[in-house]
Amino acid sequence: MQLNNNVTEFILLGLTQDPFWKKIVFVIIFFFYLGTLLGNLLIITTIKTSRTLQSPMYFFLFYLSLSDTCFSTSIAPRMIVDAVSKNNTISFRECMIQVFTFHFFGCLDIFILILMAVDRYVAICKPLHYMTIMSHWVCGVLVAVAWMGSCVHSLAQIFLALSLPFCGPNVIDHYFCDLQPLLKLACSDTYVVNLLLVSNSGAICTLSFVMLMFSYAIILHSLRNHSAEGRKKALSTCVSHIIVVILFFGPCIFIYTRPATTFPLDKMIAVFYTLGTPLLNPLIYTLRNTEVKSAMRKLWSKKLISDVKTRMKVPNSSL
C-alpha cells in the first residue's frame, strides 16, 4: 500500500520549535527516560534474583516493568534526538515501526494490568485455591496470550495506517507517529478509519478500564471478611494497582475515544501516559510494597559485600 503514497518521510514538529524550550525538553525527557530505565530495570533485576518474590503477582510485575521499559524506549530516544537536532524527519518505514512498537507495548501494558487484577482477585477472594488456579504454567500461558493479543492489536493499527493515502503535507504536529496525527495528513475521507480506530484502541482502553475498576470494586468489597492485618496488606496492594490504572487509562481514553479532532493539550497529555506512567510505575510499586523494598535492600547488601570481597582479593592476587 505504501507504493500508492507520494510521501516517503514525515517531519515531526515535537513539543515545541523554540530553541530555548527544546533544550528544556531535552533535559526533562532525558532524565525521565533515565529514571524509567533505572527504576524498571531495578525491579526486573530484583524480581529475577530474589527468592522471596516468586509469587504470580511479582511474575506479572516483572513483565509490566519489561513492557514499560520497551514502551518508553519506543518514544523517548527519538524525542531526545529530535530535541537537539535541526532535521526532525522520520522515514515512512520508521514511522510505521514506531506505530507498531508503541501500540504493541502499550496494549501489553493494558493486558498485564488486567492479569494483575485477576491475580489479586483470586488471591483475596479465593485464597485456598490461589496456588492451584494461578500456577506457574497458567501464568505463563496468560502472559503468552497477552503478547499475542498485543501483536494482533498492533497489526490492526499498522493495517489502518497503511490504508491511508499520503500525497500532500508531511508535517506531523506531534512528537511521535500515531494514527490520530496521521489521519490529519491523509488525502481521503478518514471517517471509516477513525471509526475503526475508536472501535479498536478506544474500545480496548475503555472496556479494560471499566473491567479493572469493577474487579477492584469487588475485591475491596470482599475485604470486609478479612482480618485487620490482611485487610491492610491487601488494601495497600490494590490501591497501588488502582493508582496505576487511573494514571494510565485516563489519558488514553481521552485521546482514543473521540473523533479525529485535536486539542492544544493533546501532546502534553500524551507525554503523561507515554513517559510519565512508565516512570511512576516503579515508584508506586516499590514505595508501597514492603516485600519489594526488602528484596532491593538485600540485593544492594549483596552487591556491597561482593564489592568488598573483590577489593580485598585484589592485593592478594597482586602478591
Side-chain angles (χ1 to χ4, degrees):
M1 293 184 180
Q2 183 188 348
L3 296 176
N4 298 326
N5 296 325
N6 297 327
V7 176
T8 58
E9 64 180 18
F10 297 101
I11 300 174
L12 296 171
L13 292 184
L15 289 173
T16 179
Q17 290 295 299
D18 185 271
F20 171 78
W21 286 107
K22 287 183 73 172
K23 294 177 183 178
I24 301 298
V25 168
F26 169 81
V27 173
I28 293 175
I29 300 304
F30 176 80
F31 283 106
F32 263 53
Y33 183 55
L34 183 63
T36 299
L37 290 182
L38 293 177
N40 284 290
L41 291 178
L42 179 59
I43 290 180
I44 290 171
T45 305
T46 302
I47 294 175
K48 267 298 181 183
T49 57
S50 175
R51 295 180 180 179
T52 61
L53 303 180
Q54 298 301 315
S55 67
M57 181 177 71
Y58 299 112
F59 178 78
F60 295 133
L61 179 57
F62 170 86
Y63 281 101
L64 179 66
S65 294
L66 178 63
S67 179
D68 276 339
T69 303
C70 298
F71 181 61
S72 183
T73 301
S74 69
I75 301 295
R78 177 80 203 191
M79 286 186 69
I80 294 171
V81 172
D82 287 345
V84 294
S85 175
K86 294 182 179 179
N87 185 21
N88 299 341
T89 60
I90 182 171
S91 69
F92 188 93
R93 185 184 299 273
E94 290 173 333
C95 184
M96 294 301 105
I97 291 174
Q98 191 174 60
V99 170
F100 179 85
T101 55
F102 169 74
H103 280 275
F104 179 85
F105 292 109
C107 190
L108 184 60
D109 263 3
I110 292 174
F111 290 152
I112 296 298
L113 289 172
I114 293 175
L115 294 181
M116 294 177 78
V118 171
D119 171 72
R120 289 301 85 202
Y121 171 79
V122 177
I124 295 172
C125 300
K126 301 180 182 296
L128 298 179
H129 305 284
Y130 177 64
M131 294 310 299
T132 303
I133 298 175
M134 301 302 294
S135 65
H136 184 73
W137 183 83
V138 170
C139 293
V141 170
L142 290 175
V143 170
V145 171
W147 281 76
M148 288 188 291
S150 302
C151 187
V152 171
H153 166 73
S154 300
L155 289 175
Q157 299 297 106
I158 288 295
F159 177 80
L160 292 176
L162 292 177
S163 67
L164 296 173
F166 302 104
C167 52
N170 67 336
V171 178
I172 299 177
D173 187 15
H174 218 296
Y175 59 87
F176 70 98
C177 284
D178 197 10
L179 273 179
Q180 288 283 18
L182 285 174
L183 285 174
K184 297 179 63 178
L185 305 182
C187 302
S188 64
D189 184 17
T190 59
Y191 175 79
V192 175
V193 176
N194 185 72
L195 190 63
L196 292 173
L197 173 63
V198 171
S199 62
N200 186 0
S201 298
I204 288 177
C205 292
T206 305
L207 293 177
S208 298
F209 178 74
V210 172
M211 184 170 60
L212 284 168
M213 297 308 293
F214 182 72
S215 65
Y216 281 119
I218 295 175
I219 292 172
L220 293 176
H221 183 265
S222 69
L223 290 178
R224 297 182 306 167
N225 302 324
H226 289 67
S227 63
E229 183 179 351
R231 219 171 20 241
K232 182 179 178 181
K233 184 178 179 180
L235 187 62
S236 176
T237 302
C238 288
V239 167
S240 299
H241 293 190
I242 291 171
I243 291 173
V244 171
V245 167
I246 293 174
L247 292 177
F248 183 79
F249 283 93
C252 288
I253 291 174
F254 177 78
I255 295 293
Y256 292 107
T257 57
R258 67 172 197 255
T261 55
T262 57
F263 298 106
L265 289 177
D266 280 1
K267 287 192 281 188
M268 294 307 300
I269 292 175
V271 168
F272 190 77
Y273 73 84
T274 57
L275 301 173
T277 305
L279 175 65
L280 291 174
N281 281 355
L283 297 176
I284 292 172
Y285 283 112
T286 55
L287 294 179
R288 299 184 61 89
N289 193 305
T290 55
E291 291 180 342
V292 174
K293 288 190 289 186
S294 176
M296 285 182 176
R297 281 194 292 267
K298 290 179 181 179
L299 178 63
W300 181 253
S301 300
K302 288 180 181 179
K303 184 180 183 303
L304 289 178
I305 294 172
S306 176
D307 290 342
V308 171
K309 288 182 178 180
T310 302
R311 291 175 184 175
M312 291 178 66
K313 289 179 181 180
V314 171
N316 296 330
S317 62
S318 62
L319 297 174

